Structure formats: structure tokens, C-alpha cells
């Protein structure tokens, strides 16, 4: 795992959240970000780390994301370790 791969997984997680209004709303509420801010912050490694933190805090969400992204559940955990 390298930083580029970690950011790719985080972007996949962000796309996963964006496809679910409830999940995205929960993330935005927790972070205080608005949709416009999220779009512009998607290239920020700290925001991407927050996306992974949000997905990792809910096992059901993590497993659903991994199934949708066709990755093993360990991948987002390892990706998180490569982001600030």
C-alpha cells in the first residue's frame, strides 16, 4: 500500500458515501462540511482520512463499501494508516 493507493480507496469510499444520502448526510453533519466544501476538499488527504475514519467506525458500512468496491475489509484499514 502506498499513499496513491490509499487516496484512491478513500475516494472510492467518498463516492460510496455520496451514493447514500443518509451516510453522506451523517458524514457532513459530523464534519461540519457542506457539499461545496466537500467537493473542493476531496483532494485534501486529511479529508480523505476523515472519510475512511467515518466508514471504519461502522462495520456494516465498512463491509458494504468493501463489497461495492470489490476490496478486502483490511484494505481501508491499511489505507487509513497511509493518510494523515
Amino acid at each position: 500500500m502506498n499513499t496513491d493507493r490509499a487516496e484512491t480507496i478513500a475516494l472510492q469510499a467518498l463516492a460510496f458515501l455520496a451514493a447514500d444520502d443518509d451516510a453522506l448526510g451523517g458524514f457532513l453533519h459530523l464534519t461540519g462540511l457542506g457539499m461545496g466544501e466537500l467537493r473542493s476538499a476531496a483532494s485534501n488527504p486529511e479529508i480523505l482520512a476523515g472519510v475512511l475514519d467515518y466508514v471504519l467506525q461502522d462495520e456494516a458500512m465498512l463491509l458494504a463499501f468493501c463489497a461495492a468496491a470489490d476490496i478486502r475489509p483490511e484494505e481501508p484499514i491499511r489505507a487509513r494508516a497511509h493518510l494523515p
Side-chain angles (χ1 to χ4, degrees), residues 36-47:
E37 294 168 308
L38 183 59
R39 284 188 190 98
S40 65
S43 62
N44 181 330
E46 291 174 353
I47 299 297

Side-chain angles (χ1 to χ4, degrees), residues 2-80:
N2 59 36
T3 302
D4 287 340
R5 177 70 179 136
E7 288 180 356
T8 297
I9 290 172
L11 287 170
Q12 289 175 305
L14 180 57
F16 175 80
L17 292 179
D20 181 331
D21 289 339
D22 290 335
L24 183 60
F27 176 74
L28 293 175
H29 177 74
L30 184 68
T31 62
L33 293 172
M35 284 300 294
E37 294 168 308
L38 183 59
R39 284 188 190 98
S40 65
S43 62
N44 181 330
E46 291 174 353
I47 299 297
L48 294 177
V51 169
L52 288 178
D53 285 340
Y54 185 73
V55 171
L56 290 169
Q57 57 88 29
D58 182 322
E59 184 177 8
M61 185 185 308
L62 170 64
L63 295 176
F65 163 61
C66 290
D70 194 29
I71 60 175
R72 294 185 323 268
E74 303 84 34
E75 294 290 313
I77 296 167
R78 290 186 13 216
R80 179 58 187 96

